[in-house]
Amino acid sequence: MEAIEELSELSEAMRQAAAVLADEDVDETSSSSSKRPSTFLNVVALGNVGAGKSAVLNSLIGHPLLPTGENGATRAPISIDLARDSSLSTKSIILQIDNKSQQVSASALRHSLQDRLSKGASGRSRDEIYLKLRTSTAPPLKLIDLPGLEQRIVDESLLREYVEHNDAILLVIVPAAQAPEISSSRALRLAKEYDSEGTRTVGIISKIDQAASDSKALAAVQALLLNQGPPKTSDIPWVALIGQSVSIASTQSGSASADNSLETAWRAESESLKSILTGAPQNKLGRVALVDVLAGQIRNRIKLRLPNLLSGLQGKSQIIQDELVRLGEQMVTTAEGTRAVALELCREFEDKFLQHITGGEGNGWKIVSSFEGSFPNRIKQLPLDRHFDMNNVKRIVLEADGYQPYLISPEKGLRSLIKGVLELAKEPSRLCVDEVHRVLLDIVSAAANATPGLGRYAPFKREVVAIASAALDGFRTEARKMVVALVDMERAFVPPQHFIRLVQRRMERQRREEEVKNRSSKKASDAEQSILNRASSPQTGGQQQSEGKFEGNLKSLKDKFSKKEKNVPPAPPEGSALKTAGPGGEITAGFLLKKSGKTNGWSRRWFVLNEKTGKLGYTKKQEERHFRGVITLEECNIEEVADDEGGSSKSSKDKKSSEKEPSLVFKITSRIPYKTVLKAHSAVVLKAESLADKTEWLEKLKNVVESKGGQVKVESATPPMRQSLSDGSLDTMARKPADPEEELRWMSQEVRGYVEAVLNSLAANVPKAVILCQVEKAKEDMLIQLYSSVSLLWGNNFTLSCFGDQYHKQS
């Protein structure tokens, strides 16, 4: 306790030094910042509901002030500013309100807090409950009891308000039963986020007595106390508590030895912990150990801060001496002279501010870091998998338009799904705006501190910072509206071509399935008909033999004529001119004609296919070493097209003759319609130099594409024929409906590709809106508002008062 009292005196001296460096009035700072004083003695308790935060803080106070148990859950931040008065008895508590003091009991304060928490529970109040107390049992600390981290009111802004200050000691409170899962503790994760080095974090394992029979939990607790726990916990000092010592002492307050009941309870707690945790260090058990660990962490923070303060004070002293010399020559006594000085100071502030923004000084780099780091990461972390889960997709489609197996496209449901997923992008966009706003506020403060002239007039400096901050608040509101409007634009209009393509692809897939079924059914029906013909013609042996020979001869003649007429099978193709390389022949190279997107003509290029990597590259000449373009085949489909579709211009005679010749053209397209295949082209049309080359190219490309889940469309030599039996069976004429769940899964994948493309577009456009609405306005409109506001204040004699007092002091 004595160690913390000495640190309290040192902390007060450092607070005054920091106020001098910041050009603040020490008296005004101490009186106006009672809710958030600049001190190293702030202790913030972090933990889930039921972790025992209030009981731990009660143990530090020495009185059961804070409500505990199920009915005492903290629902709003409670801040208790403690002052130690050794002249009071152990039972006395003095409540200070303004300049008045009143003696109260612990039970009365506890019931009053419980009533205020229960009244504010329905409204989820975030207003802080502030108490200032004097006792003889508590160390001179400011204790802050935050609500459980899983409660709805605990958001990032509330945590940042109390946790991000580098002078606050963080108490990570975890029940002993949860010690084996300490790595998943949200309180520990938050402490690591704001204090990565662990220099201001203290870990507390509460409710040891409730886990006395759990050997696994006790082993985890002892590992933490010995600094042998998970890597995240090794650099944090840990203390074990039971947390009920204050309650036990309060029940004994009526006995004869009431003054010693609290010390007795603390000693009993330490003995109980020693009996439960036999292998743990004794200096990490109980309330006394907690006070010593807190004193050690506070001492470390002061040691880190002290050299900077000393060097800052030395530099400040030199600046003041230089300014006094300069002021002796430039002292002004008229209103016009004062106005000129004020505007000159504004110009100096403007120069410093623009240097921080444009030159990258100070925190200017954090704006770019937000655009390239935290904002894209938040977009990538959106739960797309959960929203595009088939159960969720089916539920949304069913609620939207009642999805049935024979609907062409559940467009209404898919539009609802797209809008719901894109709605998630609003929160990362708002957080990006808030992050840039905080950086701009830091830059304003840094620019004001870096302006030498403003250091002479602290009231005027505060007014300049207030005007600039108010302007930035307005810019933040405009930027929020802008980024939300960007998301709403994408949500409001989904291009109808997307759903048209969905229908087209589905019909194309059904057409291909029909062709495959028709081919197989035609072969089966021909075989069945030939068997029936032979079985239904009984003949004698001689007749069968002679007629069989005749029939065989006739059939062979018929086959010969049909082969000549139909040219089936075709003449053996010429040898392929492609070359292969590699241990397993996985590299194939050869010439192909590539259709130009500009001239619509054909260019001969040397293509190289690597089947292992799934990439197809090309060069202009065979001897070139660097590819002019590379196609990633795992994202593509391959489609065989006719010569006229490939873009070649032919006469009518050429077209009639080409109908009998096989096509040498095929096309490579992307599976996702919004992505490109090569450079800025959504499709690449290629033409082989011979049918053999085309056959081998398609075979190689087919193996690569189909192994990656792609599709290869090959045109049939003969058009598909619809088969029907002579008996008119409905079984062969009816089409089997497609599986609705499979179709919906395929459509949801296409929709997800569209949503990811839109999110990538937002990741690129939201930073542009933030720059326009916040950074650019800060460089122009904020400074204009500053000059106009200073001129208006000067007209109201405010500036005169700012400078008049300073002149009086200097004179």
Side-chain angles (χ1 to χ4, degrees):
M1 191 74 73
E2 289 76 10
I4 287 191
E5 289 183 350
E6 295 176 359
L7 292 175
S8 176
E9 297 176 0
L10 181 58
S11 174
E12 178 63 21
M14 295 184 67
R15 184 187 67 82
Q16 295 179 4
V20 171
L21 288 178
D23 292 324
E24 297 176 349
D25 193 324
V26 177
D27 297 331
E28 291 182 2
T29 303
S30 59
S31 61
S32 63
S33 58
S34 60
K35 294 293 183 69
R36 182 61 192 149
S38 177
T39 174
F40 291 87
L41 304 178
N42 291 337
V43 178
V44 181
L46 299 174
N48 293 334
V49 175
K53 303 188 307 299
S54 300
V56 171
L57 296 183
N58 283 339
S59 181
L60 278 174
I61 298 170
H63 296 277
L65 300 180
L66 297 172
T68 58
E70 296 181 359
N71 298 326
T74 306
R75 300 179 180 88
I78 301 176
S79 179
I80 303 178
D81 200 348
L82 299 172
R84 189 163 186 258
D85 189 348
S86 58
S87 63
L88 298 175
S89 65
T90 57
K91 296 184 294 181
S92 299
I93 302 174
I94 304 300
L95 174 64
Q96 291 182 314
I97 303 175
D98 297 331
N99 295 325
K100 299 179 181 180
S101 299
Q102 178 183 357
Q103 184 169 356
V104 294
S105 64
S107 60
L109 276 177
R110 185 173 64 254
H111 292 310
S112 176
L113 287 174
Q114 195 162 358
D115 292 340
R116 292 182 63 178
L117 291 174
S118 60
K119 290 179 181 178
S122 59
R124 297 284 188 261
S125 175
R126 293 178 52 175
D127 296 336
E128 179 184 272
I129 301 175
Y130 178 75
L131 298 175
K132 191 172 184 180
L133 305 176
R134 285 190 296 117
T135 69
S136 62
T137 59
L141 300 172
K142 181 176 180 181
L143 306 180
I144 301 171
D145 188 10
L146 293 180
L149 296 179
E150 68 269 37
Q151 295 194 35
R152 188 178 303 174
I153 64 169
V154 181
D155 55 9
E156 186 176 353
S157 61
L158 178 64
L159 290 172
R160 190 186 310 111
E161 181 179 352
Y162 293 96
V163 176
E164 72 174 356
H165 301 279
N166 60 7
D167 60 350
I169 302 298
L170 307 180
L171 291 185
V172 177
I173 301 173
V174 180
Q178 300 178 9
E181 293 83 21
I182 186 68
S183 298
S184 61
S185 170
R186 187 186 176 192
L188 179 62
R189 187 166 63 252
L190 284 172
K192 282 295 182 181
E193 180 180 350
Y194 289 96
D195 179 28
S196 58
E197 299 179 357
T199 58
R200 59 186 183 97
T201 302
V202 175
I204 297 178
I205 310 169
S206 63
K207 301 181 180 181
I208 297 293
D209 54 336
Q210 297 182 11
S213 60
D214 190 347
S215 59
K216 182 179 178 182
L218 293 181
V221 171
Q222 293 201 18
L224 290 173
L225 296 177
L226 294 171
N227 292 332
Q228 297 176 358
K232 293 182 179 179
T233 64
S234 59
D235 56 348
I236 298 175
W238 291 88
V239 178
L241 290 179
I242 292 178
Q244 299 297 328
S245 57
V246 175
S247 301
I248 296 172
S250 64
T251 59
Q252 301 174 356
S253 59
S255 61
S257 59
D259 292 338
N260 299 325
S261 60
L262 192 57
E263 288 78 4
T264 303
W266 286 336
R267 285 196 298 271
E269 180 187 25
S270 298
E271 294 299 328
S272 178
L273 287 171
K274 292 177 185 178
S275 63
I276 297 174
L277 302 171
T278 55
Q282 297 183 5
N283 61 346
K284 293 188 177 182
L285 304 178
R287 187 256 191 187
V288 177
L290 175 59
V291 175
D292 292 339
V293 172
L294 284 175
Q297 290 292 74
I298 293 172
R299 187 181 299 109
N300 294 335
R301 295 299 300 173
I302 291 179
K303 287 181 180 179
L304 292 174
R305 179 64 172 159
L306 193 57
N308 294 334
L309 285 176
L310 292 177
S311 61
L313 288 175
Q314 293 174 358
K316 191 71 173 179
S317 175
Q318 184 63 39
I319 292 174
I320 291 175
Q321 292 178 5
D322 296 341
E323 289 297 321
L324 287 176
V325 173
R326 192 168 73 91
L327 286 173
E329 302 175 355
Q330 298 183 2
M331 184 72 69
V332 293
T333 56
T334 63
E336 290 296 331
T338 304
R339 180 181 184 183
V341 171
L343 295 177
E344 178 64 26
L345 293 177
C346 289
R347 279 190 287 271
E348 292 181 11
F349 169 76
E350 176 184 356
D351 294 338
K352 292 294 181 181
F353 179 79
L354 292 178
Q355 285 179 10
H356 282 76
I357 288 288
T358 59
E361 297 183 11
N363 294 329
W365 60 272
K366 291 184 178 180
I367 297 177
V368 179
S369 176
S370 174
F371 294 157
E372 297 179 352
S374 56
F375 176 60
N377 290 336
R378 292 190 184 104
I379 292 292
K380 292 178 182 177
Q381 292 171 3
L382 293 177
L384 297 184
D385 293 338
R386 176 165 57 85
H387 283 77
F388 283 98
D389 180 72
M390 275 307 301
N391 294 328
N392 185 61
V393 173
K394 286 192 291 187
R395 179 184 60 79
I396 292 177
V397 171
L398 183 63
E399 293 175 355
D401 55 4
Y403 179 73
Q404 296 178 5
Y406 303 104
L407 287 178
I408 294 179
S409 173
E411 179 177 343
K412 186 176 179 182
L414 295 179
R415 285 183 182 273
S416 176
L417 178 62
I418 293 173
K419 290 182 178 180
V421 176
L422 293 181
E423 178 73 21
L424 301 176
K426 290 184 178 180
E427 186 61 23
S429 302
R430 295 192 191 98
L431 291 177
C432 180
V433 171
D434 294 341
E435 193 170 349
V436 172
H437 176 70
R438 290 193 299 270
V439 174
L440 290 175
L441 288 178
D442 292 341
I443 291 177
V444 166
S445 179
N449 293 330
T451 304
L454 288 178
R456 304 194 305 268
Y457 313 107
F460 182 67
K461 173 183 174 181
R462 289 195 294 270
E463 190 63 28
V464 169
V465 173
I467 294 171
S469 301
L472 292 178
D473 291 340
F475 302 153
R476 176 178 62 174
T477 303
E478 295 179 10
R480 280 191 166 203
K481 293 179 180 178
M482 174 67 78
V483 297
V484 170
L486 285 177
V487 179
D488 286 335
M489 283 192 299
E490 299 290 351
R491 293 178 66 249
F493 178 73
V494 181
Q497 293 84 357
H498 176 72
F499 295 99
I500 294 174
R501 293 191 186 99
L502 283 179
V503 177
Q504 291 175 345
R505 287 192 179 89
R506 181 180 179 182
M507 296 177 69
E508 180 66 21
R509 291 175 63 232
Q510 289 181 346
R511 184 185 67 79
R512 291 197 305 270
E513 291 174 359
E514 289 272 339
E515 291 179 359
V516 174
K517 291 178 182 179
N518 287 335
R519 292 195 195 102
S520 59
S521 61
K522 180 178 182 300
K523 292 180 181 179
S525 61
D526 289 344
E528 183 180 358
Q529 188 64 36
S530 63
I531 293 173
L532 290 175
N533 291 337
R534 288 196 298 268
S536 60
S537 56
Q539 295 175 348
T540 61
Q543 289 177 340
Q544 288 180 0
Q545 185 175 4
S546 60
E547 289 185 14
K549 291 180 180 180
F550 176 76
E551 187 175 343
N553 294 333
L554 183 62
K555 184 176 182 181
S556 62
L557 290 174
K558 188 176 182 180
D559 290 341
K560 290 179 181 180
F561 281 110
S562 62
K563 287 180 182 179
K564 292 180 180 180
E565 291 176 358
K566 298 183 179 179
N567 197 21
V568 177
E574 299 178 1
S576 173
L578 304 187
K579 299 180 180 180
T580 57
E586 65 273 7
I587 298 178
T588 304
F591 282 104
L592 285 172
L593 298 179
K594 176 179 171 293
K595 181 191 170 191
S596 173
K598 296 181 179 179
T599 62
N600 207 28
W602 297 95
S603 302
R604 194 168 186 257
R605 297 290 182 260
W606 177 259
F607 279 80
V608 178
L609 170 65
N610 191 329
E611 297 185 41
K612 282 189 176 181
T613 61
K615 296 185 182 298
L616 178 66
Y618 74 92
T619 59
K620 189 174 182 180
K621 298 180 181 180
Q622 182 177 354
E623 57 271 13
E624 290 184 5
R625 293 182 175 270
H626 300 287
F627 290 122
R628 295 175 179 258
V630 178
I631 302 173
T632 303
L633 295 174
E634 65 180 3
E635 302 174 354
C636 300
N637 293 330
I638 298 178
E639 180 180 359
E640 185 180 7
V641 297
D643 284 338
D644 54 351
E645 188 177 346
S648 59
S649 57
K650 299 180 180 180
S651 62
S652 58
K653 294 183 179 179
D654 293 338
K655 288 184 179 180
K656 290 180 181 179
S657 61
S658 64
E659 289 178 358
K660 299 180 182 180
E661 300 177 358
S663 172
L664 303 178
V665 182
F666 57 94
K667 180 167 60 175
I668 301 177
T669 59
S670 175
R671 299 185 200 172
I672 301 175
Y674 308 99
K675 292 186 178 180
T676 58
V677 176
L678 178 66
K679 299 178 181 178
H681 303 292
S682 59
V684 177
V685 181
L686 304 174
K687 183 176 182 180
E689 295 184 337
S690 67
L691 184 60
D693 287 357
K694 177 192 172 184
T695 303
E696 187 169 355
W697 274 119
L698 285 181
E699 185 65 26
K700 299 280 188 179
L701 295 173
K702 177 181 178 183
N703 294 335
V704 176
V705 172
E706 290 184 344
S707 65
K708 304 296 183 179
Q711 298 178 355
V712 179
K713 305 178 183 178
V714 181
E715 289 188 349
S716 177
T718 58
M721 299 177 62
R722 298 185 179 271
Q723 300 294 324
S724 61
L725 299 179
S726 58
D727 57 356
S729 175
L730 293 176
D731 294 337
T732 58
M733 297 176 64
R735 295 184 181 181
K736 182 180 178 181
D739 183 8
E741 185 169 347
E742 182 65 25
E743 292 294 327
L744 192 59
R745 179 181 292 104
W746 176 77
M747 291 182 186
S748 66
Q749 292 175 358
E750 294 284 339
V751 170
R752 178 167 183 166
Y754 170 77
V755 169
E756 290 176 348
V758 173
L759 291 178
N760 291 335
S761 175
L762 289 174
N765 291 328
V766 167
K768 298 176 184 178
V770 173
I771 290 292
L772 176 65
C773 296
Q774 289 183 272
V775 179
E776 291 300 321
K777 284 184 176 291
K779 290 161 61 176
E780 298 178 4
D781 295 358
M782 185 195 77
L783 298 174
I784 293 174
Q785 292 186 28
L786 176 62
Y787 285 113
S788 61
S789 299
V790 168
S791 299
L792 179 62
L793 292 174
W794 179 83
N796 294 331
N797 293 326
F798 177 83
T799 309
L800 287 174
S801 64
C802 288
F803 291 101
D805 294 341
Q806 188 72 18
Y807 290 147
H808 180 68
K809 290 179 182 179
Q810 292 172 356
S811 62

